[in-house]
Amino acid sequence: GRLGTRMAQGHFLALLLLLASWDLGRLVDACTCAPSHPQDAFCSSDIVIRARVVGKKLLKDGPFGTMRYTIKQMKMYRGFNKMPQVQYLYTEPSESLCGVRLEVNKYQYLIMGHVFEGKVYTGLCTFNRKWDDLTLPQRKGLKYRYHLGCSCTIKRCSYLPCIVSAKNECLWMDMLGPKFGYPGYQSKSNACIMHQEGYCSWHQGWVPPDKSTINSMDP
Protein backbone atom coordinates (compact mmCIF):
# COMPACT_ATOMS: atom_id res chain seq x y z
CA GLY A 1 0.00 0.00 0.00
CA ARG A 2 0.95 3.66 -0.09
CA LEU A 3 2.09 3.71 3.55
CA GLY A 4 4.23 0.65 2.99
CA THR A 5 5.83 2.31 -0.02
CA ARG A 6 6.76 5.38 1.98
CA MET A 7 8.15 3.30 4.82
CA ALA A 8 10.20 1.38 2.30
CA GLN A 9 11.63 4.63 1.08
CA GLY A 10 13.18 5.26 4.49
CA HIS A 11 10.59 7.68 5.85
CA PHE A 12 9.19 5.41 8.53
CA LEU A 13 10.75 7.42 11.36
CA ALA A 14 8.68 10.51 10.61
CA LEU A 15 5.45 8.54 10.31
CA LEU A 16 6.04 6.57 13.49
CA LEU A 17 6.69 9.74 15.45
CA LEU A 18 3.50 11.21 14.10
CA LEU A 19 1.44 8.17 15.02
CA ALA A 20 3.00 8.03 18.48
CA SER A 21 2.47 11.65 19.40
CA TRP A 22 -0.25 13.10 17.14
CA ASP A 23 1.54 16.37 17.85
CA LEU A 24 1.88 18.12 14.51
CA GLY A 25 4.04 20.80 16.09
CA ARG A 26 6.80 18.26 16.70
CA LEU A 27 7.04 17.18 13.06
CA VAL A 28 9.85 19.63 12.41
CA ASP A 29 12.11 17.34 14.47
CA ALA A 30 10.84 14.14 12.87
CA CYS A 31 13.40 13.63 10.10
CA THR A 32 16.80 12.36 11.24
CA CYS A 33 19.50 11.46 8.71
CA ALA A 34 22.71 9.53 9.29
CA PRO A 35 25.79 11.03 7.57
CA SER A 36 26.72 9.42 4.27
CA HIS A 37 29.89 9.63 2.20
CA PRO A 38 28.96 10.65 -1.39
CA GLN A 39 30.48 7.43 -2.74
CA ASP A 40 28.27 5.36 -0.45
CA ALA A 41 25.27 7.41 -1.54
CA PHE A 42 26.23 6.93 -5.19
CA CYS A 43 26.64 3.18 -4.91
CA SER A 44 23.38 2.66 -3.00
CA SER A 45 21.28 4.75 -5.42
CA ASP A 46 19.43 3.46 -8.47
CA ILE A 47 19.60 6.84 -10.19
CA VAL A 48 22.31 9.53 -10.09
CA ILE A 49 21.83 12.52 -12.39
CA ARG A 50 22.59 16.20 -12.87
CA ALA A 51 19.37 18.07 -13.56
CA ARG A 52 17.49 21.36 -13.42
CA VAL A 53 14.02 21.58 -11.90
CA VAL A 54 11.56 23.17 -14.33
CA GLY A 55 8.27 22.65 -12.46
CA LYS A 56 6.60 21.24 -9.37
CA LYS A 57 3.15 20.05 -8.34
CA LEU A 58 1.70 18.80 -5.05
CA LEU A 59 -0.20 15.60 -5.78
CA LYS A 60 -3.19 14.94 -3.54
CA ASP A 61 -2.48 11.34 -2.60
CA GLY A 62 -2.04 9.77 0.82
CA PRO A 63 -2.37 11.61 4.14
CA PHE A 64 0.12 14.37 3.29
CA GLY A 65 0.34 14.31 -0.49
CA THR A 66 3.44 13.88 -2.65
CA MET A 67 5.57 16.58 -4.27
CA ARG A 68 6.32 15.87 -7.93
CA TYR A 69 9.15 17.81 -9.53
CA THR A 70 9.44 18.03 -13.30
CA ILE A 71 13.11 18.02 -14.23
CA LYS A 72 15.33 18.53 -17.24
CA GLN A 73 18.03 15.89 -17.10
CA MET A 74 21.46 17.23 -18.05
CA LYS A 75 23.62 14.14 -17.47
CA MET A 76 23.25 10.65 -16.03
CA TYR A 77 25.98 9.03 -13.91
CA ARG A 78 24.15 5.93 -12.68
CA GLY A 79 20.92 4.23 -13.66
CA PHE A 80 21.25 3.70 -17.41
CA ASN A 81 19.67 0.26 -17.09
CA LYS A 82 16.97 1.39 -14.65
CA MET A 83 15.64 4.58 -16.27
CA PRO A 84 17.89 6.27 -18.84
CA GLN A 85 15.78 9.42 -19.03
CA VAL A 86 14.16 10.87 -15.89
CA GLN A 87 11.33 13.36 -16.28
CA TYR A 88 9.68 13.35 -12.86
CA LEU A 89 11.07 13.18 -9.33
CA TYR A 90 8.88 12.30 -6.33
CA THR A 91 9.42 13.20 -2.68
CA GLU A 92 7.54 13.87 0.53
CA PRO A 93 5.85 17.29 0.64
CA SER A 94 7.84 18.71 3.58
CA GLU A 95 11.30 18.48 5.10
CA SER A 96 9.75 17.31 8.38
CA LEU A 97 8.66 14.17 6.50
CA CYS A 98 12.14 13.84 4.93
CA GLY A 99 11.09 15.45 1.69
CA VAL A 100 13.68 17.41 -0.26
CA ARG A 101 12.98 20.98 -1.32
CA LEU A 102 14.31 22.02 -4.73
CA GLU A 103 14.16 25.44 -6.39
CA VAL A 104 12.45 25.78 -9.79
CA ASN A 105 14.50 27.20 -12.69
CA LYS A 106 17.28 28.37 -10.39
CA TYR A 107 20.05 25.79 -9.96
CA GLN A 108 21.47 22.64 -11.43
CA TYR A 109 21.37 19.84 -8.88
CA LEU A 110 23.07 16.54 -8.28
CA ILE A 111 20.12 14.26 -7.60
CA MET A 112 20.20 10.68 -6.31
CA GLY A 113 17.17 8.47 -5.94
CA HIS A 114 15.57 5.04 -6.02
CA VAL A 115 13.21 3.57 -8.59
CA PHE A 116 9.95 2.08 -7.34
CA GLU A 117 7.13 1.01 -9.64
CA GLY A 118 8.52 3.06 -12.49
CA LYS A 119 8.97 6.27 -10.49
CA VAL A 120 12.09 7.93 -9.08
CA TYR A 121 11.87 8.80 -5.37
CA THR A 122 14.30 10.92 -3.40
CA GLY A 123 14.40 12.55 0.01
CA LEU A 124 16.18 14.75 2.50
CA CYS A 125 18.46 11.90 3.61
CA THR A 126 19.60 11.24 0.05
CA PHE A 127 22.77 12.95 -1.18
CA ASN A 128 21.18 15.79 -3.19
CA ARG A 129 23.28 18.93 -3.67
CA LYS A 130 23.45 22.08 -5.74
CA TRP A 131 25.92 21.26 -8.51
CA ASP A 132 27.95 24.41 -7.82
CA ASP A 133 28.46 23.26 -4.20
CA LEU A 134 30.26 20.07 -5.24
CA THR A 135 34.06 19.96 -5.12
CA LEU A 136 36.05 19.09 -8.23
CA PRO A 137 37.03 15.68 -6.76
CA GLN A 138 33.35 14.94 -6.08
CA ARG A 139 32.43 15.78 -9.67
CA LYS A 140 35.26 13.61 -10.97
CA GLY A 141 34.20 10.88 -8.56
CA LEU A 142 30.74 10.83 -10.09
CA LYS A 143 32.20 10.49 -13.58
CA TYR A 144 35.16 8.19 -13.06
CA ARG A 145 35.86 6.95 -9.54
CA TYR A 146 32.94 6.14 -7.27
CA HIS A 147 31.74 3.18 -9.33
CA LEU A 148 35.17 1.59 -8.97
CA GLY A 149 34.59 1.33 -5.22
CA CYS A 150 31.04 0.05 -5.00
CA SER A 151 32.36 -3.30 -3.73
CA CYS A 152 34.27 -1.52 -0.97
CA THR A 153 32.86 -0.71 2.47
CA ILE A 154 33.26 2.82 3.85
CA LYS A 155 33.38 2.33 7.61
CA ARG A 156 32.17 5.34 9.61
CA CYS A 157 34.43 6.20 12.55
CA SER A 158 32.60 8.10 15.28
CA TYR A 159 35.22 7.56 17.99
CA LEU A 160 38.70 6.14 18.51
CA PRO A 161 40.10 3.54 18.30
CA CYS A 162 38.73 2.80 14.86
CA ILE A 163 40.39 -0.01 12.93
CA VAL A 164 40.00 -1.81 9.63
CA SER A 165 38.33 -5.18 10.19
CA ALA A 166 38.23 -6.37 6.56
CA LYS A 167 40.47 -5.85 3.55
CA ASN A 168 37.71 -4.10 1.59
CA GLU A 169 37.18 -1.35 4.21
CA CYS A 170 38.18 2.31 4.15
CA LEU A 171 37.98 4.24 7.44
CA TRP A 172 35.84 7.39 7.14
CA MET A 173 37.13 9.81 9.78
CA ASP A 174 35.30 13.05 8.94
CA MET A 175 33.25 12.75 12.15
CA LEU A 176 36.36 12.78 14.36
CA GLY A 177 37.07 16.47 14.00
CA PRO A 178 39.60 18.82 12.40
CA LYS A 179 42.77 17.05 13.56
CA PHE A 180 42.06 14.44 10.86
CA GLY A 181 41.76 17.09 8.14
CA TYR A 182 39.52 20.03 7.36
CA PRO A 183 35.77 19.44 7.95
CA GLY A 184 34.44 16.87 5.51
CA TYR A 185 37.90 16.24 4.02
CA GLN A 186 37.32 12.63 2.94
CA SER A 187 33.78 13.38 1.72
CA LYS A 188 34.98 16.31 -0.36
CA SER A 189 38.26 14.91 -1.67
CA ASN A 190 38.54 11.11 -1.47
CA ALA A 191 37.21 7.98 -3.12
CA CYS A 192 37.58 4.45 -1.73
CA ILE A 193 38.85 2.31 -4.61
CA MET A 194 39.23 -1.47 -4.91
CA HIS A 195 42.57 -2.88 -6.04
CA GLN A 196 43.80 -6.32 -6.94
CA GLU A 197 42.93 -9.15 -4.56
CA GLY A 198 39.97 -7.22 -3.19
CA TYR A 199 41.85 -4.62 -1.12
CA CYS A 200 40.38 -1.12 -0.86
CA SER A 201 42.08 2.17 -0.03
CA TRP A 202 41.41 5.90 -0.13
CA HIS A 203 42.58 7.93 -3.09
CA GLN A 204 42.61 11.67 -3.28
CA GLY A 205 41.03 13.60 -6.12
CA TRP A 206 40.63 11.66 -9.35
CA VAL A 207 44.15 10.64 -10.33
CA PRO A 208 44.28 6.95 -11.41
CA PRO A 209 44.99 4.80 -8.33
CA ASP A 210 48.51 3.64 -7.64
CA LYS A 211 48.25 -0.14 -7.69
CA SER A 212 51.24 -0.49 -5.40
CA THR A 213 49.35 1.23 -2.59
CA ILE A 214 47.28 -1.35 -0.78
CA ASN A 215 44.87 -0.67 2.09
CA SER A 216 46.31 2.71 2.94
CA MET A 217 45.07 6.28 3.09
CA ASP A 218 46.50 9.12 1.03
CA PRO A 219 47.74 12.14 2.98
Coordinates of all heavy atoms in Angstrom, one line a residue, residues 1-4 6 15 18 58-67 92-93 97:
G1 N 0.8 -1.2 0.0 CA 0.0 0.0 0.0 C 0.9 1.2 0.0 O 2.1 1.2 0.0
R2 N 0.2 2.4 0.0 CA 0.9 3.7 -0.1 C 1.8 3.9 1.1 O 3.0 4.3 1.0 CB -0.1 4.8 -0.2 CG 0.6 6.2 -0.4 CD 1.3 6.2 -1.7 NE 1.9 7.6 -1.9 CZ 2.7 7.9 -2.8 NH1 3.0 7.0 -3.7 NH2 3.2 9.1 -2.9
L3 N 1.3 3.5 2.3 CA 2.1 3.7 3.5 C 3.3 2.8 3.5 O 4.4 3.2 3.9 CB 1.2 3.4 4.8 CG 1.9 3.5 6.1 CD1 2.5 5.0 6.3 CD2 1.0 3.2 7.3
G4 N 3.1 1.6 3.1 CA 4.2 0.7 3.0 C 5.3 1.1 2.0 O 6.5 1.0 2.3
R6 N 6.0 4.3 1.4 CA 6.8 5.4 2.0 C 7.7 4.9 3.1 O 8.8 5.4 3.2 CB 5.8 6.4 2.6 CG 5.0 7.1 1.5 CD 4.0 8.0 2.0 NE 3.2 8.6 0.9 CZ 3.0 9.9 0.7 NH1 3.6 10.8 1.6 NH2 2.3 10.3 -0.3
L15 N 6.8 9.0 10.2 CA 5.5 8.5 10.3 C 5.2 7.9 11.7 O 4.2 8.1 12.3 CB 5.1 7.5 9.2 CG 5.2 8.1 7.8 CD1 4.9 7.0 6.7 CD2 4.1 9.2 7.6
L18 N 4.8 10.6 14.2 CA 3.5 11.2 14.1 C 2.4 10.4 14.8 O 1.6 10.8 15.5 CB 3.2 11.4 12.6 CG 1.7 11.9 12.3 CD1 1.5 13.3 12.9 CD2 1.5 11.9 10.8
L58 N 2.1 19.6 -6.2 CA 1.7 18.8 -5.1 C 0.6 17.9 -5.4 O -0.6 18.3 -5.7 CB 1.3 19.7 -3.9 CG 0.9 18.9 -2.6 CD1 2.1 18.1 -2.1 CD2 0.4 19.9 -1.5
L59 N 0.8 16.6 -5.4 CA -0.2 15.6 -5.8 C -1.0 15.3 -4.5 O -0.4 15.0 -3.5 CB 0.5 14.3 -6.4 CG 1.4 14.5 -7.6 CD1 2.0 13.2 -8.0 CD2 0.7 15.2 -8.7
K60 N -2.3 15.2 -4.7 CA -3.2 14.9 -3.5 C -3.4 13.4 -3.4 O -4.5 12.9 -3.6 CB -4.5 15.6 -3.8 CG -4.4 17.1 -4.0 CD -3.9 17.9 -2.8 CE -3.9 19.4 -3.0 NZ -3.4 20.1 -1.8
D61 N -2.4 12.8 -2.9 CA -2.5 11.3 -2.6 C -1.9 11.1 -1.2 O -1.0 11.7 -0.8 CB -1.8 10.5 -3.7 CG -0.3 10.8 -3.8 OD1 0.1 11.9 -3.2 OD2 0.4 10.1 -4.4
G62 N -2.5 10.1 -0.5 CA -2.0 9.8 0.8 C -2.4 10.9 1.8 O -3.0 11.9 1.5
P63 N -2.0 10.7 3.1 CA -2.4 11.6 4.1 C -1.7 13.0 4.0 O -2.3 14.0 4.5 CB -1.9 10.9 5.4 CG -0.8 10.0 5.0 CD -1.2 9.5 3.6
F64 N -0.6 13.1 3.4 CA 0.1 14.4 3.3 C 0.3 14.8 1.9 O 0.8 16.0 1.6 CB 1.5 14.3 4.0 CG 1.4 13.8 5.4 CD1 1.8 12.6 5.7 CD2 0.9 14.7 6.4 CE1 1.7 12.1 7.1 CE2 0.8 14.2 7.7 CZ 1.2 12.9 8.0
G65 N 0.1 14.0 0.9 CA 0.3 14.3 -0.5 C 1.8 14.0 -0.9 O 2.6 13.6 0.0
T66 N 2.1 14.1 -2.1 CA 3.4 13.9 -2.7 C 3.8 15.0 -3.6 O 3.1 15.5 -4.4 CB 3.5 12.6 -3.5 OG1 3.1 11.5 -2.6 CG2 4.9 12.3 -4.0
M67 N 5.1 15.5 -3.4 CA 5.6 16.6 -4.3 C 6.2 15.9 -5.5 O 7.0 15.0 -5.4 CB 6.6 17.4 -3.6 CG 7.1 18.6 -4.4 SD 5.9 19.8 -4.9 CE 5.5 20.5 -3.3
E92 N 8.5 13.5 -0.4 CA 7.5 13.9 0.5 C 7.3 15.4 0.5 O 8.2 16.1 0.0 CB 8.0 13.5 1.9 CG 8.1 12.0 2.2 CD 6.8 11.2 2.2 OE1 5.8 11.9 2.2 OE2 6.8 10.0 2.2
P93 N 6.2 15.9 0.9 CA 5.9 17.3 0.6 C 6.5 18.3 1.6 O 6.5 19.5 1.3 CB 4.3 17.3 0.8 CG 4.0 16.2 1.8 CD 5.0 15.1 1.4
L97 N 8.9 15.5 6.9 CA 8.7 14.2 6.5 C 9.8 13.6 5.6 O 9.6 12.6 4.9 CB 7.3 14.1 5.7 CG 6.1 14.4 6.6 CD1 4.9 14.5 5.7 CD2 5.9 13.3 7.6

